[in-house]
Amino acid sequence: MKQIKRTIINDALKRTDIGAEINIKGWVRTKRGNKNVSFIAINDGSTIKNMQVVADLSKFDEETLKAITTGSCVSVNGLLAQSIGQGQNVEIQATELEILGTADATYPLQKKGHTLEYLREIAHLRPRTNTFGAIFRIRHNMAIAIHTFFHQKGFYYFHTPLITASDCEGAGQMFQVTTMDLNKLDHTEEGKIDYTNDFFGKPTSLTVSGQLEGELAATSLGAIYTFGPTFRAENSNTPRHLAEFWMVEPEVAFNDINDNMDLAEEFIKFCVKWALDNCADDLQFLNDMFDKELISRMEGVLKDSFVRLPYTEGVRILEEAVKNGHKFEYPVYWGADLASEHERYLVENHFKKPVILTDYPKEIKAFYMKQNEDGKTVRAMDVLFPKIGEIIGGSEREADYDKLLQRIQELNIPMKDMWWYLDTRKYGSCPHSGFGLGFERLLLFVTGMQNIRDVIPFPRTPKNANF
Ligand code: 4AD
Ligand code: MG
């Protein structure tokens, strides 16, 4: 086969130099035709669009043509031609065809229209479908949007450890990390497990959040963000929870809770706009196939200012709704941790736009949040989104050494894990704030997918760690 430098299909489709000799490589989606000619649709992942290859049957041996089946991988040399078919401007008139890899009739993606549930079982192949190609291209674009946003604002990308000895959220939902032989554990005299011979010489886990180390960075570099995997062993099999998910956590010195809300709103709007500007073809596909309101919902979020409302007011609205006959599965009262149905009622039924709830009861929030003067609430903020519920959780941090120490003691958090964190309040303490955005929750919003397992390539959930 003649050596011609490969053109990716996304570029080839934009070319106008009709008659040029080009090469493309990719996977066959469909082959149709008649006695004289085959039309082969090829996709190489660079775009949702296929390149149509036209093969004059008289020019190719039967063997080669037979091996061009759905799922096979081919290299095509040919001439760029104006396409009269609908959907594309150009096609390729094949001059040479090479089969790089065959795919027989057992290839699972023969016909279209598999359910999302079935595709989860073949997660190793699902990126070859239009749907998951679109989702993972959007996922990449959202990662770029995040780095672009913070870099342009002068934030530093700071890498926090994945293995840790402290429980940031204090929720006890951590995966333990050990090299000990679980069949032969050493015990101390009191009968507890002896970690002195373990790899780190003490109990360690996978992190649930990079925030605590992020605060160390913010109180030195000024404004930072983390963006990496986090792990939670919460046994909640819901469409919004993963055991391994990616989180973006900005942390900014001298920001109070209002600055924090401004940053969160500007950040999410930037990401949503980035998707609309950079992922038009993929969004249009998802809009047409899965969720006719996807694009208009995204545009809607850009239009309005988010509602900012204290938790106490939010609960009042929900109690009012119950009084007027609205049925929730979970009870709602002051002090309750709101369920996603409550959050979505506020956003979708009551305000019809995103809501930032603030000043939650301290009992349902983490130890590090700044305590309000009322002694009951803390300066927390959750950003609630249509279809999703909580997409961001954050707060102004408690900057006062004594108040922070008192809260740590009230909650029985072991001091030996926290001395370094308290040092930020001991030496040059300053007001500061931050938040965490669940990357996959953002992706649910910008893809219109309903299940978080469909926006991460290889989801980890209870009893599921395949691939
Ligand atoms: O509200 P969370 O637990 O807040 C924190 O971890 C803070 N340390 C963040 C900070 O202030 N720096 O989690 C933050 C976000 C949630 O709003 C949600 O979007 C997402 O992370 N999240 C999950 N996403 C998928 N699966 C899970 N199990 C998640 N738990 C939280
Ligand atoms: Mg939260």
Side-chain angles (χ1 to χ4, degrees), residues 17 21 180:
D17 51 338
E21 218 182 0
M180 293 191 298

Side-chain angles (χ1 to χ4, degrees), residues 139 142-144 146-147 157-160 225-229 246-249 437 439:
R139 188 176 167 107
M142 287 297 92
I144 299 299
I146 286 160
H147 286 301
Y157 180 27
F158 191 76
H159 296 116
T160 52
Y225 67 106
T226 72
F227 182 14
W246 286 61
M247 188 153 47
V248 185
E249 296 184 273
L437 167 91
F439 187 50

Side-chain angles (χ1 to χ4, degrees), residues 365 382 390 393:
K365 289 293 180 189
D382 278 9
E390 180 189 340

Side-chain angles (χ1 to χ4, degrees), residues 118-380:
Y118 172 67
L119 291 172
R120 262 174 238 149
E121 291 169 19
I122 51 165
H124 59 306
L125 291 173
R126 66 179 181 168
R128 290 204 199 169
T129 62
N130 280 332
T131 301
F132 286 92
I135 291 167
F136 297 139
R137 278 187 296 272
I138 294 171
R139 188 176 167 107
H140 158 80
N141 271 285
M142 287 297 92
I144 299 299
I146 286 160
H147 286 301
T148 304
F149 176 81
F150 287 117
H151 180 67
Q152 282 176 356
K153 287 185 95 67
F155 285 54
Y156 297 109
Y157 180 27
F158 191 76
H159 296 116
T160 52
L162 298 190
I163 298 175
T164 175
S166 54
D167 181 357
C168 171
E169 293 302 299
Q173 297 169 323
M174 304 185 81
F175 289 100
Q176 211 178 322
V177 173
T178 179
T179 52
M180 293 191 298
D181 180 346
L182 299 184
N183 294 311
K184 277 194 282 169
L185 291 174
D186 296 334
H187 289 85
T188 61
E189 275 166 22
E190 304 93 80
K192 296 211 169 114
I193 291 166
D194 185 357
Y195 284 90
T196 42
N197 293 322
D198 198 2
F199 190 91
F200 296 106
K202 61 177 172 182
T204 51
S205 303
L206 295 175
T207 189
V208 296
S209 158
Q211 180 195 321
L212 301 187
E213 294 89 350
E215 285 186 53
L216 310 181
T219 54
S220 46
L221 298 170
I224 64 94
Y225 67 106
T226 72
F227 182 14
T230 46
F231 308 87
R232 294 196 187 175
E234 33 187 351
N235 204 354
S236 37
N237 241 320
T238 83
R240 285 177 202 83
H241 289 88
L242 289 165
E244 177 181 298
F245 65 99
W246 286 61
M247 188 153 47
V248 185
E249 296 184 273
E251 191 72 36
V252 190
F254 317 117
N255 267 10
D256 66 14
I257 186 139
N258 292 310
D259 303 318
N260 207 31
M261 287 192 273
D262 292 343
L263 180 67
E265 184 165 342
E266 190 189 348
F267 171 52
I268 292 210
K269 285 180 169 172
F270 181 94
C271 292
V272 171
K273 182 158 190 321
W274 186 280
L276 288 167
D277 291 347
N278 293 280
C279 309
D281 291 344
D282 290 326
L283 284 179
Q284 195 61 54
F285 173 83
L286 296 171
N287 191 89
D288 294 345
M289 298 300 291
F290 291 100
D291 181 352
K292 299 275 184 285
E293 268 134 50
L294 171 62
I295 293 175
S296 65
R297 199 182 311 118
M298 288 169 68
E299 287 166 346
V301 158
L302 297 184
K303 225 172 48 226
D304 293 323
S305 291
F306 297 0
V307 175
R308 299 182 182 191
L309 188 78
Y311 166 94
T312 303
E313 293 295 315
V315 168
R316 201 167 292 154
I317 291 167
L318 293 166
E319 285 175 336
E320 198 61 36
V322 172
K323 238 183 261 159
N324 294 330
H326 192 90
K327 294 254 179 307
F328 291 115
E329 193 181 335
Y330 295 97
V332 56
Y333 52 91
W334 199 94
D337 205 354
L338 299 184
S340 139
E341 55 171 348
H342 303 131
E343 298 171 338
R344 290 182 59 181
Y345 179 89
L346 291 174
V347 173
E348 290 164 33
N349 300 50
H350 193 84
F351 290 108
K352 301 190 168 44
K353 45 180 146 167
V355 174
I356 312 185
L357 268 196
T358 60
D359 302 289
Y360 282 73
K362 67 177 182 202
E363 280 75 21
I364 57 171
K365 289 293 180 189
F367 72 93
Y368 49 68
M369 296 191 181
K370 185 174 170 69
Q371 296 162 41
N372 282 323
E373 249 118 65
D374 62 12
K376 294 191 299 200
T377 60
V378 287
R379 235 163 265 185

